[in-house]
Amino acid sequence: YFTKAKDYAIIQLMLGNKEVGSQVDLYDENVVPTGPIELGKVTLTKGKNAVKIHVKGKDAKSSGFLVGIDGFVLKPVK
């Protein structure tokens, strides 16, 4: 879950050096939540699993490159 606003970036989530999900444009004229963003299935290993947010650019209407993280939800695959 992320925040959208008029000064926010376009991002790509990474697990280590692998892209996860699609790029997300966080631009919106108002400050609003994105709601859930599906990242697909990933395999986590024991120990640290680095999640990175790569700023890819910005919407032409955006005045900045900010990112607002509201939360992550991890669900085990059965």
Side-chain angles (χ1 to χ4, degrees), residues 10-14 19-23 52-54 56:
I10 297 172
I11 60 168
Q12 174 69 57
L13 270 74
M14 312 284 289
E19 291 183 353
V20 179
S22 300
Q23 288 186 16
K52 302 174 189 176
I53 299 173
H54 184 207
K56 301 292 282 188

Side-chain angles (χ1 to χ4, degrees), residues 6-76:
K6 62 183 177 181
D7 52 356
Y8 277 37
I10 297 172
I11 60 168
Q12 174 69 57
L13 270 74
M14 312 284 289
L15 182 58
N17 292 319
K18 181 182 176 193
E19 291 183 353
V20 179
S22 300
Q23 288 186 16
V24 182
D25 186 347
L26 297 177
Y27 171 80
D28 196 280
E29 191 62 33
N30 300 298
V31 177
V32 296
T34 61
I37 296 172
E38 180 65 39
L39 299 176
K41 293 181 182 179
V42 297
T43 302
L44 302 178
T45 57
K46 185 177 181 178
K48 294 182 180 182
N49 290 269
V51 175
K52 302 174 189 176
I53 299 173
H54 184 207
V55 174
K56 301 292 282 188
K58 67 181 185 86
D59 187 284
K61 295 173 278 193
S62 179
S63 62
F65 294 90
L66 299 176
V67 177
I69 304 167
D70 295 333
F72 288 96
V73 176
L74 302 177
K75 296 179 183 178

